[in-house]
Amino acid sequence: MHLRAEAIVLAVRAHGEHGAILRALTPVDGMLAGYVRGGRSRRLRPILQPANIVLGEWRARTDDQLPQLAVDLVHSRALLFAEPLPAVALDWVTALTASVLPEGQPYPAVHAALAGVLDAIEAAPAARGWAVALVRYELLLLAELGFGLALDRCVVTGATADLAFVSPKSGAAVCRTAGAGYADRLFALPPFLASGGAADWADILAGLAITGHFLERDLFGDRRADTLAARARLVDRLKRAVA
């Protein structure tokens, strides 16, 4: 194996006394892991920062061997980690991606969407500039991994108008008339998820409630409580920011 590509750093784990195992998302080859010699050094730690873009060179003698990985920094987002809200957003979106994507399988749409979310956070650290993109990214991940939500028509009547709820069981939209009397058992469907457009904070938090439910149920189950804790911190900070 010999691959050279730009990649988004997703996760870093210490390995041995001085090294680190890096997981990074490439545009064509998906998420790849590699061993970075000296990855815990003062020189490399700022480079191996989640959300950074690096130029990586993976080398391995066999397909089942963990590749050796050399990295050069292309673009740093380290300064964003000094801002509390962007920091928790970057922590969550990179940890989520590293936790749920299988290694070595191409997900070009996920790479493009993740790059867009990270760019949005960097361009406008205030959450209003990127929160909608984050919700849409979580929806995309669910769809790419086989758990997409059906938000274009009512699961009960087939209607495409006046969609007001989402079933927590089926992940399908429910129109207002069909959901009458069951609102306490359903998620409110914010208009921007069904038809696009702008979203206010109530809509964004409603969208996060929907995606959070299905991420935990379908992609995590009982796994990675620490990863989901990062999302809980993000949602809590968003709620406090708009209170």
Side-chain angles (χ1 to χ4, degrees):
M1 175 191 178
H2 181 203
L3 174 68
R4 184 177 172 87
E6 284 194 4
I8 301 169
V9 177
L10 299 179
V12 184
R13 176 169 57 87
H15 186 79
E17 188 174 353
H18 302 292
I21 294 177
L22 176 74
R23 283 179 168 78
L25 184 62
T26 67
V28 175
D29 296 281
M31 185 173 70
L32 300 175
Y35 174 74
V36 182
R37 190 181 302 276
R40 299 170 67 185
S41 68
R42 183 176 299 178
R43 182 182 71 84
L44 286 179
R45 279 202 306 268
I47 296 174
L48 307 185
Q49 173 77 51
N52 281 357
I53 301 175
V54 297
L55 179 61
E57 189 166 5
W58 289 262
R59 292 179 180 270
R61 293 182 179 180
T62 63
D63 289 342
D64 58 354
Q65 180 186 35
L66 179 67
Q68 297 286 320
L69 173 58
V71 295
D72 291 307
L73 182 64
V74 174
H75 180 67
S76 174
R77 294 189 171 99
L79 290 177
L80 289 172
F81 284 87
E83 300 288 338
L85 192 49
V88 293
L90 295 177
D91 274 341
W92 161 244
V93 76
T94 53
L96 166 64
T97 309
S99 296
V100 302
L101 282 189
E103 289 186 15
Q105 296 186 26
Y107 287 95
V110 171
H111 181 277
L114 177 59
V117 173
L118 298 177
D119 285 345
I121 295 172
E122 186 172 16
R128 187 175 294 277
W130 49 260
V132 167
L134 177 65
V135 178
R136 292 196 179 282
Y137 180 70
E138 292 181 344
L139 276 180
L140 174 68
L141 266 182
L142 285 163
E144 288 284 315
L145 294 171
F147 299 99
L149 308 188
L151 303 180
D152 58 339
R153 63 182 62 247
C154 176
V155 67
V156 179
T157 67
T160 58
D162 201 24
L163 302 176
F165 307 103
V166 176
S167 165
K169 293 184 178 180
S170 67
V174 179
C175 66
R176 195 173 307 277
T177 54
Y182 300 95
D184 59 336
R185 305 180 196 176
L186 303 169
F187 289 111
L189 174 59
F192 82 97
L193 285 189
S195 55
D200 60 23
W201 280 115
D203 289 339
I204 290 168
L205 293 175
L208 286 168
I210 293 169
T211 55
H213 170 79
F214 291 103
L215 286 171
E216 183 170 2
R217 189 192 74 178
D218 296 329
L219 297 188
F220 284 95
D222 295 328
R223 304 177 301 118
R224 299 283 186 175
D226 52 339
T227 305
L228 289 171
R231 189 181 194 275
R233 288 192 295 272
L234 170 60
V235 173
D236 179 65
R237 283 189 178 273
L238 285 172
K239 288 179 178 178
R240 282 189 283 159
V242 303

